Amino acid sequence: MSVGPVPKPIAGVSDFIDERIGAGNFLKRNLRKVFPDHWSFLLGEVALYSFVILLLTGTFLTFFFRPSMGDVVYNGSYQPLQGITMSEAYASSLNISFDVRGGLLMRQMHHWAALLFIAGLMVHALRVFFTGAYRKPREINWLIGVVLFTLALFEGLTGYSLPDDLLSGAGLRITQGVILSLPVVGTWLSFFLFGGEYPGEDVISRFYSIHILLIPGLLLALITAHLILMWVQKHTQMPGKDRTNANVVGAPFYPAFMAKSGAYFMFTFGVIALLGTAAQINPIWLFGPYTPSDISAGSQPDFYMGFLEGSLRLMPAWEINLFGTAGGTLPLNVLIPALVPLGVILTGMALYPFVERWVTGDNREHHVVDRPRNNPHRTSIGMTAITFYGLLWLMGANDEIAAFFQVSLNVTTYVGRVLIIVGPILAYLITYRICLGLQRIDAATIDHGVETGVIKRLPDGEYIEVHAPPNKSIEALIRDKKPVPIIAGTDGDAPDGDGVPSEKMRHPLGRLRAKMSKAYGGEKVALTDGHGEDEEKHAAVGPGEDDTSSPAR
């Protein structure tokens, strides 16, 4: 959707392009496209700008990094490691840190940008999920986002392993253990990736190719597709006054959104540069070169892989011997933690739009998103996933927790095993009650108005607090609430009006669907017309009728 007359800068450029390639009208239309304005929409831009900074800093690092596991003797500037035999990858990483002008800054900016990129993807996905922005017609864009997040995790894993220091080597050893746990193909994949027995001679060079070519190319293609779909389908907007599924309320791409985005990119770049300058991250020179016989105490991966560490630590030592020891061992204590937690979250994310549509029967297009409180079951499911992920992430540091609080490591493990079951259940129940409470507050705001802090005494001696009607924006935001759809006939209101469920709802799956729809959808807390008993009483007390009013204390 475009607005207003075309500014002269756009008109001049459009005419220039139109006279040469005939794309002037396309340029005029798209430069005046309207974008809604809300702070939460910037979360996706954080991820986008971080990815741009990743490409820039990563290009700089490729000029100096040597992706080889060949042995060299270090003779660089860092004296504590001089004369130590190490891989060329580790030596070049030290060289970037101490001998290349600006190299340490670029390394740290690259690492901070990677963390911010994945964090930005996470919070952007949460914003989309909690507001229901994944619904028709944006299911494909949601699936692209899920694949982007998955690729970002693998991109971080491969980049984390490249310096070949002791910390990253410990993580690489866990990765190899996970690969080996895969039935049938695990051993073959490990030999292929590492070029033989662990650690082999090829893993760094192969991770390097994956890290700088394969995954970035896929990410760039998917991000481009993501942005094109968002542009074509138009951006979702928050509920509010004059906002409908048929319009977009906001500012045009040029000049407002373009200037705002440019400033926000510079702000993101400045924050990452400040972190790279003042906040040390991944000091590989303190860890030393990786050797398979060494291990570091208290080592922790980057935050986005902490869930894997936690799940491995919580899982009991279960295994299955297939046909006796000669048939092979299936290590469930590695296989389940490695595949199930993230598999459940990612698969759930990918399927949720389609499952929700099946449960609610809602096939409408949605361009105005929901407030999270207005779909309490969806919000509760989201908080359940966050709690599940967060507890796994926390338990990835159970050794540090045990040491800091001076408690038994076994105690932290057993407590974690209980919390990983109880925590998500409690999160669901608590979130659901909070959502209903917030809906009741909205209903009270419409019904009784907004508290003013002014106390009045009525002629009969009763003291009341004066309520004022909410302003138009708040009232429009609250009244934009719509009941979560329910499949027709779920409550006996079949299309023919005789109370008999439709034929497709009579079989077992249909009955299950009807029960799920009734539980998930519907109006939990209804709004009134805003003419409650209190308003009538307050309206009867006009100005000057009582001189005993005083501000509330």
Side-chain angles (χ1 to χ4, degrees):
M1 181 177 294
S2 60
V3 295
V6 179
K8 289 184 178 179
I10 296 180
V13 174
S14 299
D15 291 340
F16 178 87
I17 293 177
D18 196 44
E19 292 169 357
R20 287 156 179 82
I21 60 176
N25 291 332
F26 174 83
L27 188 64
K28 290 178 183 178
R29 182 174 67 254
N30 284 281
L31 285 179
R32 296 299 288 167
K33 186 179 181 68
V34 174
F35 279 82
D37 188 12
H38 192 268
W39 66 266
S40 65
F41 298 153
L42 298 176
L43 299 174
E45 294 184 44
V46 170
L48 176 63
Y49 301 149
S50 299
F51 181 72
V52 173
I53 296 170
L54 274 173
L55 294 179
L56 296 175
T57 54
T59 301
F60 176 90
L61 296 175
T62 58
F63 294 146
F64 306 100
F65 181 72
R66 297 177 64 86
S68 171
M69 298 181 71
D71 290 335
V72 296
V73 177
Y74 179 70
N75 292 309
S77 300
Y78 188 64
Q79 293 186 359
L81 291 178
Q82 286 185 356
I84 301 296
T85 301
M86 59 186 65
S87 67
E88 288 188 75
Y90 186 59
S92 65
S93 299
L94 292 175
N95 182 60
I96 292 172
S97 301
F98 294 107
D99 298 306
V100 175
R101 186 180 296 274
L104 181 59
L105 176 62
M106 290 295 104
R107 266 197 63 238
Q108 299 206 142
M109 284 184 63
H110 190 73
H111 204 133
W112 279 115
L115 298 182
L116 195 59
F117 173 58
I118 297 180
L121 287 177
M122 286 182 172
V123 294
H124 176 62
L126 290 176
R127 196 277 300 176
V128 172
F129 179 82
F130 283 125
T131 60
Y134 53 78
R135 293 172 295 179
K136 184 180 178 180
R138 297 176 179 84
E139 299 95 335
I140 295 176
N141 230 4
W142 171 256
L143 293 177
I144 290 175
V146 174
V147 176
L148 276 173
F149 178 64
T150 306
L151 289 174
L153 294 180
F154 284 103
E155 176 75 346
L157 174 64
T158 54
Y160 179 79
S161 304
L162 290 181
D164 200 30
D165 60 285
L166 184 58
L167 181 62
S168 66
L172 192 60
R173 183 61 166 171
I174 295 175
T175 303
Q176 192 252 357
V178 169
I179 295 174
L180 283 178
S181 71
L182 299 175
V184 182
V185 299
T187 303
W188 300 101
L189 287 177
S190 176
F191 270 67
F192 170 76
L193 183 62
F194 291 91
E197 287 286 355
Y198 179 86
E201 296 290 336
D202 300 327
V203 66
I204 296 298
S205 60
R206 289 176 178 174
F207 269 20
Y208 184 70
S209 299
I210 294 171
H211 183 72
I212 72 166
L213 292 176
L214 179 60
I215 298 181
L218 293 174
L219 287 174
L220 192 59
L222 289 173
I223 289 174
T224 302
H226 191 76
L227 294 176
I228 290 175
L229 283 175
M230 183 273 293
W231 192 280
V232 171
Q233 294 173 344
K234 74 181 180 181
H235 203 296
T236 56
Q237 58 183 339
M238 298 298 291
K241 186 178 180 181
D242 300 328
R243 297 174 184 179
T244 68
N245 283 317
N247 69 355
V248 179
V249 178
F253 178 74
Y254 178 88
F257 185 80
M258 186 180 293
K260 187 185 301 180
S261 295
Y264 201 63
F265 171 77
M266 297 307 298
F267 179 78
T268 305
F269 183 88
V271 169
I272 292 176
L274 181 63
L275 288 171
T277 303
Q280 179 177 273
I281 189 170
N282 199 25
I284 57 173
W285 54 90
L286 298 181
F287 307 140
Y290 176 67
T291 55
S293 59
D294 293 334
I295 188 170
S296 57
S299 59
Q300 302 294 327
D302 283 337
F303 84 94
Y304 50 86
M305 297 303 294
F307 77 93
L308 176 59
E309 186 84 7
S311 59
L312 287 168
R313 297 186 184 196
L314 290 181
M315 184 67 189
W318 294 348
E319 62 180 34
I320 298 176
N321 292 316
L322 302 175
F323 312 109
T325 56
T329 299
L330 194 63
L332 299 180
N333 58 326
V334 178
L335 187 62
I336 291 177
L339 301 182
V340 173
L342 189 62
V344 168
I345 292 176
L346 292 178
T347 304
M349 290 175 62
L351 295 180
Y352 196 87
F354 308 100
V355 173
E356 184 184 67
R357 187 171 63 181
W358 180 76
V359 169
T360 62
D362 184 10
N363 291 309
R364 300 169 299 171
E365 287 194 2
H366 295 271
H367 301 293
V368 178
V369 297
D370 296 333
R371 300 173 77 196
R373 67 185 66 182
N374 292 337
N375 194 319
H377 283 292
R378 178 206 294 149
T379 304
S380 301
I381 291 171
M383 288 304 301
T384 299
I386 292 174
T387 304
F388 179 69
Y389 176 89
L391 286 171
L392 290 178
W393 176 79
L394 184 65
M395 288 298 105
N398 67 339
D399 56 339
E400 295 286 346
I401 294 172
F404 184 82
F405 292 102
Q406 298 183 359
V407 297
S408 168
L409 180 61
N410 286 336
V411 170
T412 63
T413 302
Y414 293 137
V415 169
R417 289 174 180 174
V418 173
L419 287 179
I420 203 64
I421 302 298
V422 176
I425 297 174
L426 290 177
Y428 188 97
L429 297 175
I430 293 172
T431 303
Y432 187 80
R433 301 309 303 177
I434 290 175
C435 288
L436 293 186
L438 292 173
Q439 287 192 41
R440 292 189 182 100
I441 291 175
D442 288 344
T445 300
I446 295 296
D447 194 32
H448 305 300
V450 181
E451 296 178 355
T452 63
V454 176
I455 302 299
K456 278 184 174 293
R457 192 177 72 182
L458 300 180
D460 60 1
E462 178 187 0
Y463 286 91
I464 63 169
E465 182 177 11
V466 177
H467 288 66
N471 63 48
K472 299 297 184 182
S473 298
I474 294 178
E475 184 175 3
L477 178 65
I478 295 175
R479 289 196 177 279
D480 195 74
K481 170 189 174 184
K482 298 176 179 61
V484 180
I486 296 180
I487 300 173
T490 298
D491 289 322
D493 54 341
D496 56 7
D498 59 4
V500 178
S502 60
E503 183 176 353
K504 65 180 180 180
M505 304 298 291
R506 298 175 193 171
H507 53 75
L509 183 60
R511 291 194 294 270
L512 174 62
R513 183 186 181 191
K515 291 180 180 179
M516 293 174 64
S517 183
K518 186 175 181 180
Y520 186 87
E523 183 68 273
K524 309 302 180 184
V525 179
L527 298 178
T528 66
D529 292 332
H531 298 289
E533 179 182 351
D534 288 344
E535 279 70 28
E536 296 176 0
K537 180 183 291 186
H538 297 165
V541 183
E545 292 184 13
D546 191 86
D547 296 328
T548 59
S549 62
S550 62
R553 298 183 182 272

